[in-house]
Amino acid sequence: MADSPQYFDLITMGRIGVDLYPLQTGVPLSRVETFGKFLGGSAANVAVAAARLGRSTAVITRTGADPFGTYLHEALRDFGVDDRWVTPVPAYPTPVTFCEIFPPDDFPLYFYRRPKAPDLEIHTRELDLPAVRAAGIFWVTGTGLSEEPSRSATLDALAARDRAGTTVFDLDWRPMFWRDTGQARPYYREALRHATVAVGNLDECEVATGVRDPEACAEALLAAGVELAVVKQGPRGVLAVHRDGTRAEVPPVPVEVVNGLGAGDAFGGSLCHGLLSGWDLERTMRHANAAGALVASRLACSSAMPTPSEVADLLARAASPDAAGLPSQS
């Protein structure tokens, strides 16, 4: 009798790298003198965020066969994320990402992922498809569709899962990763056919659906096949619409923004936690907004992911009259 596959609450698949963030804010990259080194990449960060909330998580991705790759393995394990499906690609270096920090809303990113990022060298033959099918939630990103063989591996994993449980497509639009941005929409549409949840901001929803109005985005994502559409609207908060007619429109949580990068990944990890917990839609969105806001109020991404008590404390403070007047981040 065959062994049962390893079960995880959440398996993510996609981007990983090293974030090198300035330790000075309001300073152009050309003048920054010191940097902090952090685990980065959306798929890795979502797994970390959910692990911080008590979930068993793993990530499917690839690094370079270099010291930065070793660092990422160590960081994942330190955060409680299983790294069994993180494998080396000797031909390519581990990607690094720099940013500039100009609070409250300007955080330019500089990706070093050429000639090719190892996380785009994921092959279908290497996937543990029984584990993918067994996971409570399987999470993939738009970046994974930008090049082969990752594109085929991502779509094959989605097809093999066949909408079992909850399957999340993070629209994750990064135009600089696509050789031809005009190619994206057909692959996005194919991924949406296999997903039960779609998550994205207005730019990402427009790439996937061709429309930009939040309500129209939600309707188009539901029409494309998902059960739940989550449309992030920045300062207007988040709109979530379920196929059964349930909806929630939740404002952002007020915080003093330090670095807005990573807030979306914290939102994603919390979204997974809420879905796995069986919470109603409004509670899930409020918790996810608060998780994202906490990361926006901190310098780092992965190491800034909040614990359950930190999210609960922020929600309690945000509900008090003293919270009025602060900048907000969703």
CSV table of all heavy atoms in Angstrom, one decimal, residues 4 14 33-34 38 45 50 72 77 84 94 106 108 112 120 129 138 149-151 251 265 290 309 314-315:
chain,number,residue,atom,x,y,z
A,4,SER,N,0.7,7.6,2.4
A,4,SER,CA,-0.1,8.8,2.2
A,4,SER,C,0.9,10.0,2.0
A,4,SER,O,1.9,10.0,2.6
A,4,SER,CB,-1.0,9.0,3.4
A,4,SER,OG,-1.9,8.0,3.6
A,14,GLY,N,6.3,29.2,-6.3
A,14,GLY,CA,6.7,30.4,-7.1
A,14,GLY,C,8.0,31.0,-6.6
A,14,GLY,O,9.0,30.4,-6.3
A,33,GLU,N,24.2,53.3,2.5
A,33,GLU,CA,25.5,52.8,3.0
A,33,GLU,C,25.3,51.4,3.6
A,33,GLU,O,26.3,50.6,3.5
A,33,GLU,CB,26.1,53.7,4.0
A,33,GLU,CG,26.5,55.1,3.4
A,33,GLU,CD,27.2,56.0,4.4
A,33,GLU,OE1,27.2,55.6,5.6
A,33,GLU,OE2,27.6,57.1,4.1
A,34,THR,N,24.2,51.1,4.2
A,34,THR,CA,24.1,49.8,4.8
A,34,THR,C,22.7,49.1,4.5
A,34,THR,O,21.7,49.8,4.3
A,34,THR,CB,24.2,49.9,6.4
A,34,THR,OG1,23.2,50.8,6.8
A,34,THR,CG2,25.6,50.3,6.8
A,38,PHE,N,17.2,39.8,4.0
A,38,PHE,CA,16.0,39.1,4.4
A,38,PHE,C,15.6,38.1,3.4
A,38,PHE,O,15.9,38.3,2.2
A,38,PHE,CB,14.9,40.1,4.6
A,38,PHE,CG,15.2,41.2,5.6
A,38,PHE,CD1,15.6,42.5,5.1
A,38,PHE,CD2,15.1,41.1,7.0
A,38,PHE,CE1,15.9,43.5,6.0
A,38,PHE,CE2,15.4,42.1,7.8
A,38,PHE,CZ,15.8,43.3,7.3
A,45,ASN,N,7.2,34.4,1.1
A,45,ASN,CA,6.7,35.3,2.1
A,45,ASN,C,5.3,34.9,2.6
A,45,ASN,O,4.9,34.9,3.8
A,45,ASN,CB,6.6,36.7,1.7
A,45,ASN,CG,8.0,37.4,1.8
A,45,ASN,OD1,8.8,37.0,2.5
A,45,ASN,ND2,8.1,38.5,1.0
A,50,ALA,N,1.8,32.6,6.8
A,50,ALA,CA,0.8,31.6,7.4
A,50,ALA,C,1.5,30.8,8.5
A,50,ALA,O,0.8,30.4,9.5
A,50,ALA,CB,0.4,30.7,6.2
A,72,LEU,N,18.7,31.1,2.2
A,72,LEU,CA,17.3,31.0,2.0
A,72,LEU,C,16.7,29.7,2.6
A,72,LEU,O,15.7,29.7,3.3
A,72,LEU,CB,16.9,31.1,0.6
A,72,LEU,CG,17.1,32.5,-0.1
A,72,LEU,CD1,16.8,32.4,-1.6
A,72,LEU,CD2,16.3,33.5,0.6
A,77,ARG,N,13.6,27.4,7.2
A,77,ARG,CA,13.5,26.5,8.3
A,77,ARG,C,13.3,27.3,9.6
A,77,ARG,O,12.6,26.9,10.5
A,77,ARG,CB,14.7,25.6,8.4
A,77,ARG,CG,14.8,24.6,7.2
A,77,ARG,CD,15.8,23.5,7.5
A,77,ARG,NE,17.2,24.0,7.5
A,77,ARG,CZ,17.9,24.0,6.4
A,77,ARG,NH1,17.5,23.5,5.2
A,77,ARG,NH2,19.2,24.5,6.4
A,84,ARG,N,11.6,21.1,1.8
A,84,ARG,CA,11.9,19.9,1.1
A,84,ARG,C,11.8,20.0,-0.4
A,84,ARG,O,12.5,19.3,-1.2
A,84,ARG,CB,11.0,18.7,1.6
A,84,ARG,CG,9.6,18.8,1.1
A,84,ARG,CD,8.7,17.7,1.6
A,84,ARG,NE,8.7,17.8,3.1
A,84,ARG,CZ,8.2,16.8,3.9
A,84,ARG,NH1,7.8,15.6,3.3
A,84,ARG,NH2,8.1,16.9,5.2
A,94,THR,N,21.1,32.8,-7.2
A,94,THR,CA,19.9,33.2,-6.4
A,94,THR,C,19.6,34.7,-6.7
A,94,THR,O,20.5,35.5,-6.6
A,94,THR,CB,20.2,33.0,-4.9
A,94,THR,OG1,20.5,31.6,-4.7
A,94,THR,CG2,19.0,33.4,-4.1
A,106,ASP,N,6.0,55.3,-1.5
A,106,ASP,CA,7.0,55.2,-2.6
A,106,ASP,C,8.1,54.3,-2.2
A,106,ASP,O,9.0,54.6,-1.4
A,106,ASP,CB,7.5,56.6,-3.0
A,106,ASP,CG,8.4,56.6,-4.2
A,106,ASP,OD1,8.2,55.6,-5.0
A,106,ASP,OD2,9.2,57.5,-4.5
A,108,PRO,N,10.3,52.0,-4.6
A,108,PRO,CA,10.7,51.4,-5.8
A,108,PRO,C,11.5,50.1,-5.6
A,108,PRO,O,12.3,50.0,-4.6
A,108,PRO,CB,11.7,52.5,-6.4
A,108,PRO,CG,11.3,53.7,-5.8
A,108,PRO,CD,10.8,53.3,-4.4
A,112,TYR,N,17.0,41.7,-9.6
A,112,TYR,CA,18.2,41.2,-10.3
A,112,TYR,C,17.9,39.7,-10.5
A,112,TYR,O,18.2,38.8,-9.6
A,112,TYR,CB,19.5,41.4,-9.5
A,112,TYR,CG,19.8,42.9,-9.4
A,112,TYR,CD1,19.2,43.8,-8.6
A,112,TYR,CD2,20.8,43.4,-10.3
A,112,TYR,CE1,19.5,45.1,-8.6
A,112,TYR,CE2,21.1,44.8,-10.3
A,112,TYR,CZ,20.5,45.6,-9.5
A,112,TYR,OH,20.8,47.0,-9.5
A,120,LEU,N,12.1,30.0,-11.9
A,120,LEU,CA,11.4,29.8,-13.1
A,120,LEU,C,11.9,28.5,-13.8
A,120,LEU,O,11.5,28.2,-14.9
A,120,LEU,CB,11.6,31.0,-14.1
A,120,LEU,CG,11.0,32.3,-13.6
A,120,LEU,CD1,11.4,33.4,-14.5
A,120,LEU,CD2,9.5,32.2,-13.5
A,129,LEU,N,3.0,15.8,-6.9
A,129,LEU,CA,1.6,16.1,-7.2
A,129,LEU,C,0.7,15.5,-6.1
A,129,LEU,O,-0.3,16.1,-5.8
A,129,LEU,CB,1.3,15.6,-8.6
A,129,LEU,CG,1.9,16.4,-9.7
A,129,LEU,CD1,1.6,15.8,-11.1
A,129,LEU,CD2,1.6,17.8,-9.6
A,138,PHE,N,-3.5,25.3,-1.9
A,138,PHE,CA,-2.4,25.4,-2.8
A,138,PHE,C,-2.4,26.8,-3.4
A,138,PHE,O,-3.5,27.2,-3.9
A,138,PHE,CB,-2.6,24.3,-3.9
A,138,PHE,CG,-1.5,24.3,-4.9
A,138,PHE,CD1,-0.1,24.2,-4.5
A,138,PHE,CD2,-1.7,24.3,-6.3
A,138,PHE,CE1,0.9,24.2,-5.4
A,138,PHE,CE2,-0.7,24.3,-7.2
A,138,PHE,CZ,0.6,24.3,-6.8
A,149,PRO,N,10.4,26.5,-17.9
A,149,PRO,CA,9.3,25.5,-17.7
A,149,PRO,C,8.4,25.8,-16.5
A,149,PRO,O,7.4,25.0,-16.3
A,149,PRO,CB,10.1,24.3,-17.4
A,149,PRO,CG,11.3,24.8,-16.7
A,149,PRO,CD,11.7,26.1,-17.3
A,150,SER,N,8.6,26.9,-15.8
A,150,SER,CA,7.7,27.2,-14.7
A,150,SER,C,6.3,27.3,-15.1
A,150,SER,O,5.3,26.9,-14.4
A,150,SER,CB,8.2,28.4,-14.0
A,150,SER,OG,7.3,28.9,-13.0
A,151,ARG,N,6.0,27.9,-16.3
A,151,ARG,CA,4.7,28.1,-16.7
A,151,ARG,C,3.9,26.8,-16.8
A,151,ARG,O,2.8,26.6,-16.3
A,151,ARG,CB,4.7,28.8,-18.1
A,151,ARG,CG,3.3,29.0,-18.7
A,151,ARG,CD,3.4,29.6,-20.1
A,151,ARG,NE,4.1,30.9,-20.0
A,151,ARG,CZ,4.9,31.4,-21.0
A,151,ARG,NH1,5.2,30.7,-22.0
A,151,ARG,NH2,5.4,32.6,-20.8
A,251,PRO,N,-12.5,48.5,5.1
A,251,PRO,CA,-11.5,49.6,4.9
A,251,PRO,C,-10.1,49.2,5.4
A,251,PRO,O,-10.0,48.2,6.2
A,251,PRO,CB,-12.1,50.7,5.8
A,251,PRO,CG,-12.9,50.0,6.8
A,251,PRO,CD,-13.5,48.8,6.1
A,265,ASP,N,1.8,40.2,0.9
A,265,ASP,CA,2.1,38.8,1.3
A,265,ASP,C,1.6,38.4,2.7
A,265,ASP,O,1.1,37.3,2.9
A,265,ASP,CB,3.6,38.5,1.2
A,265,ASP,CG,4.2,38.8,-0.2
A,265,ASP,OD1,3.4,38.6,-1.2
A,265,ASP,OD2,5.4,39.1,-0.3
A,290,ALA,N,-5.4,43.7,8.7
A,290,ALA,CA,-4.6,44.1,9.8
A,290,ALA,C,-3.2,43.4,9.7
A,290,ALA,O,-2.2,44.1,10.1
A,290,ALA,CB,-5.3,43.6,11.1
A,309,SER,N,-1.5,37.1,18.1
A,309,SER,CA,-1.7,38.1,19.2
A,309,SER,C,-1.4,39.5,18.7
A,309,SER,O,-2.1,40.5,19.0
A,309,SER,CB,-0.8,37.8,20.4
A,309,SER,OG,0.5,37.9,20.1
A,314,LEU,N,-3.7,44.8,17.1
A,314,LEU,CA,-3.9,45.9,16.2
A,314,LEU,C,-5.4,46.1,15.9
A,314,LEU,O,-5.9,47.2,15.8
A,314,LEU,CB,-3.1,45.7,14.9
A,314,LEU,CG,-3.3,46.8,13.8
A,314,LEU,CD1,-2.8,48.1,14.3
A,314,LEU,CD2,-2.5,46.4,12.6
A,315,LEU,N,-6.1,45.0,15.7
A,315,LEU,CA,-7.5,45.2,15.4
A,315,LEU,C,-8.3,45.8,16.6
A,315,LEU,O,-9.2,46.7,16.4
A,315,LEU,CB,-8.1,43.8,15.1
A,315,LEU,CG,-7.8,43.2,13.8
A,315,LEU,CD1,-8.3,41.7,13.7
A,315,LEU,CD2,-8.5,44.0,12.7
